[in-house]
Amino acid sequence: MDFPQWRKHIDAVVADEGQWVGMLDENGVPMRDAGSIVSLSAPETRLATASLELVLAAGPGDPFVDELIAGGLGLQSATGTLLPAKGPTRMICVERVGRPRLPFTVTHSVVSGTAVPSQLTVHGVDTTDSLAWWPGVSIPMEWSNAKFSDWVTDASGTTYSKTRRLARVPFATKADGYTMRGQARTVIRNFIQDSLDAVNTLKGWTERPHMVVDFGGPADTSEELLLRTSDDYVWDTIAAPAKNFGLTVKVDLWWPGDPAVTVRTNRETGATATRTWPWPILIARVELMKEVA
């Protein structure tokens, strides 16, 4: 099925059964419906990463098993345990009536049974976890202006065993001086988008970014925040300040056909515009708790 057909199919399943559960590829595109669901735990959270546990009735030849277990059921470790597949990232998506779409990145899967494997348990984390491994850049312009080159030695002159392709970027090594100041929601939104833009520019991913920040919603009434930036990961930098200032942070999966998103178009002026995309994209949303209660 193409994307419009998938949307029609998923909407029909949600209308008839109350929810749709299925597998997505590494780009967030639907691949297949889940089979016979034994149990499902897919909580919705806005202040922490949520975990998925999906148990399916499955066996040899099941498409979920083939995707998530190496060689279907054929490859085992030295201790006899089944090995996970090493292919592209897979996601489990849950759509429910009147609720936000819930995407989870698969972390590992386990096949169980007696004589013949009969169940597949899929574990995952929601897409807010993607902020936990993305660099929280302290000096965005330095990353944007950096260039990759071939290195044969490190900064001390030690020779590498093989040539490495690296880009030199300065980190915030001082005890102070690297802060963002302003209303808390705006500061955190800008910090996430700055970090996304800096890494994407350095890596050449600007034509098709995987995530943007939603800059829409009512006027920012949050209190003033001084956000310390130290090149930790984005989530490590913003989690405590967001909680302390009454903000929620969530990363949703946007699909073609969803409402347009307000994005920042100019870092210096803060100008925004609405946009849609012909592909799935992650949307980071930072909101006041009282606005989403």
Side-chain angles (χ1 to χ4, degrees):
M1 285 189 280
D2 59 22
F3 216 110
Q5 290 177 313
W6 268 113
R7 288 300 304 263
K8 291 180 181 179
H9 167 71
I10 292 169
D11 290 346
V13 172
V14 172
D16 292 342
E17 302 178 13
Q19 74 173 14
W20 175 83
V21 182
M23 181 184 292
L24 314 179
D25 69 10
E26 67 274 21
N27 297 311
V29 177
M31 296 177 64
R32 54 181 50 87
D33 297 346
S36 179
I37 299 175
V38 177
S39 64
L40 171 64
S41 173
E44 177 188 347
T45 65
R46 301 194 72 90
L47 289 172
T49 299
S51 297
L52 165 87
E53 183 179 277
L54 170 65
V55 181
L56 301 171
D62 183 276
F64 267 66
V65 173
D66 289 344
E67 284 287 345
L68 301 177
I69 302 296
L73 290 173
L75 298 183
Q76 297 181 343
S77 69
T79 60
T81 58
L82 292 166
L83 296 174
K86 294 183 179 180
T89 298
R90 293 293 178 251
M91 304 170 72
I92 301 298
C93 184
V94 181
E95 287 239 18
R96 292 168 174 153
V97 176
R99 304 301 302 168
R101 184 176 300 119
L102 298 177
F104 296 84
T105 301
V106 174
T107 56
H108 64 287
S109 304
V110 180
V111 174
S112 60
T114 52
V116 177
S118 59
Q119 286 190 348
L120 175 68
T121 302
V122 183
H123 299 272
V125 293
D126 74 5
T127 44
T128 303
D129 187 66
S130 59
L131 297 176
W133 51 261
W134 193 268
V137 178
S138 62
I139 315 173
M141 292 306 297
E142 294 287 354
W143 284 61
S144 299
N145 294 331
K147 303 296 181 183
F148 279 93
S149 60
D150 293 331
W151 291 47
V152 295
T153 64
D154 66 12
S156 68
T158 302
T159 301
Y160 291 129
S161 59
K162 60 181 180 180
T163 301
R164 302 183 182 184
R165 191 154 185 80
L166 305 172
R168 184 192 294 271
V169 293
F171 281 13
T173 56
K174 297 180 180 179
D176 56 18
Y178 294 91
T179 59
M180 297 176 66
R181 181 174 185 169
Q183 290 174 284
R185 188 185 69 181
T186 298
V187 165
I188 291 178
R189 283 178 169 179
N190 281 325
F191 173 70
I192 298 173
Q193 189 63 62
D194 286 350
S195 298
L196 293 169
D197 291 344
V199 176
N200 286 339
T201 300
L202 176 63
K203 297 290 288 183
W205 297 337
T206 55
E207 292 300 316
R208 185 166 174 159
H210 77 293
M211 183 191 302
V212 296
V213 176
D214 178 8
F215 280 82
D220 190 356
T221 59
S222 58
E223 297 179 10
E224 184 178 77
L225 165 67
L226 285 173
L227 182 67
R228 173 83 162 86
T229 61
S230 57
D231 295 294
D232 287 332
Y233 294 110
V234 169
W235 186 253
D236 291 339
T237 304
I238 67 172
K243 182 177 181 181
N244 292 340
F245 281 77
L247 299 171
T248 68
V249 181
K250 182 68 176 174
V251 177
D252 297 328
L253 176 62
W254 185 96
W255 275 348
D258 289 347
V261 179
T262 301
V263 300
R264 190 183 71 184
T265 57
N266 187 294
R267 181 174 185 268
E268 301 303 321
T269 66
T272 61
T274 57
R275 186 178 173 188
T276 62
W277 299 264
W279 61 80
I281 189 169
L282 297 176
I283 308 294
R285 306 185 192 275
V286 183
E287 299 167 320
L288 284 167
M289 290 185 192
K290 63 183 179 181
E291 294 173 359
V292 297

